[in-house]
Amino acid sequence: MTSLADLRKTYSRESLTESAVDPDPIVQFKSWMEEALSAELPEPNAMTLATADTNGRPSARVILIKGVDARGFVFFTNYESDKGRDLEANPYAALVFYWTELERQVRIEGRVEKLPDEESDEYFASRPLDSRIGAWASEQSRELSGRLALVARATKFAVKFGMNPPRPPHWGGYVLIPESIEFWQGRPSRLHDRIAYKRQPDGKWRITRLAP
């Protein structure tokens, strides 16, 4: 096995300056996301979501972003999952996007709120039928006796709801309202560019450069 300590990569694609970024970090994020989409990266919408319980014990997993607007970053999940229970107890979280091929990452921290029911209903209705049935079948994060038990639950709900399963009451959307957003661009000699936005009390954003 190759020594992990010996793995190296030189970052040299781009640079990032305070004058080059948009004053609004949401606009800047959308610009970077468009570049990731145009580059046809594998799942550029994948992000790590980190949460913590009431004891401060962290937990992280990769999920998919489903929207970004003036409010913040939108995702959907089972409210009774581990992350759902964390957010119920401690409504603060962090997101990380990492686009290896572009030598970029975005770090986001803020408060998380549930979306209005009508927005969750609208998104749920747009999902493929199998995904809608799966939302009913999966008691996310709970122990299973085996895969057959999961398949049996999916079959049960498919028979029950047919082509029109409603949104489960335990499933819906969240929006992370950002308080800080950092854009990281890899640079040679590990002297990376880190441009950070911090939301001020008046709602405006303060832009600073961080040491790599």
Side-chain angles (χ1 to χ4, degrees):
M1 178 179 174
T2 301
S3 170
L4 296 178
D6 291 336
L7 293 177
R8 300 282 189 278
K9 179 179 178 180
T10 298
Y11 301 101
S12 58
R13 284 181 55 96
E14 301 282 351
S15 63
L16 189 64
T17 64
E18 295 89 330
S19 61
V21 297
D22 195 276
D24 185 335
I26 298 295
V27 174
Q28 180 64 35
F29 175 83
K30 288 181 177 180
S31 175
W32 270 24
M33 176 60 81
E34 283 297 331
E35 290 186 44
L37 291 167
S38 296
E40 299 183 345
L41 305 186
E43 292 200 293
N45 55 332
M47 62 184 184
T48 299
L49 167 66
T51 57
D53 63 17
T54 52
N55 296 317
R57 294 180 67 91
S59 180
R61 74 290 290 162
V62 176
I63 65 172
L64 302 178
I65 189 173
K66 290 300 178 180
V68 57
D69 56 32
R71 296 172 301 179
F73 300 82
V74 173
F75 60 94
F76 294 83
T77 191
N78 188 314
Y79 295 143
E80 298 174 357
S81 64
D82 284 348
K83 55 186 171 296
R85 288 193 292 269
D86 280 356
L87 291 171
E88 182 68 25
N90 176 15
Y92 290 89
L95 304 174
V96 178
F97 291 84
Y98 182 52
W99 298 308
T100 306
E101 295 85 350
L102 299 180
E103 301 174 357
R104 288 174 172 174
Q105 68 174 315
V106 183
R107 299 174 58 237
I108 305 155
E109 297 177 2
R111 181 178 176 86
V112 179
E113 297 179 357
K114 284 184 178 178
L115 289 178
D117 286 344
E118 53 270 24
E119 288 189 49
S120 291
D121 289 340
E122 181 179 3
Y123 174 71
F124 186 79
S126 75
R127 303 181 85 207
L129 177 60
D130 287 351
S131 296
R132 285 178 280 156
I133 293 297
W136 282 96
S138 176
E139 297 177 295
Q140 196 174 109
S141 301
R142 297 182 185 178
E143 291 187 7
L144 273 172
S145 59
R147 181 165 182 81
L148 288 179
L150 180 62
V151 173
R153 283 181 59 83
T155 300
K156 180 184 79 171
F157 286 111
V159 171
K160 178 177 180 179
F161 294 122
M163 299 297 292
N164 296 296
R167 178 175 65 89
H170 57 263
W171 191 99
Y174 293 95
V175 56
L176 187 147
I177 302 167
E179 297 174 355
S180 64
I181 303 180
E182 178 194 322
F183 295 85
W184 180 98
Q185 178 70 61
R187 297 297 304 278
S189 303
R190 297 298 186 264
L191 301 179
H192 310 304
D193 289 328
R194 297 176 62 188
I195 304 299
Y197 295 73
K198 189 78 171 180
R199 194 189 293 273
Q200 302 302 294
D202 62 2
K204 296 180 180 179
W205 293 96
R206 178 171 177 260
I207 301 175
T208 58
R209 174 176 287 270
L210 305 179

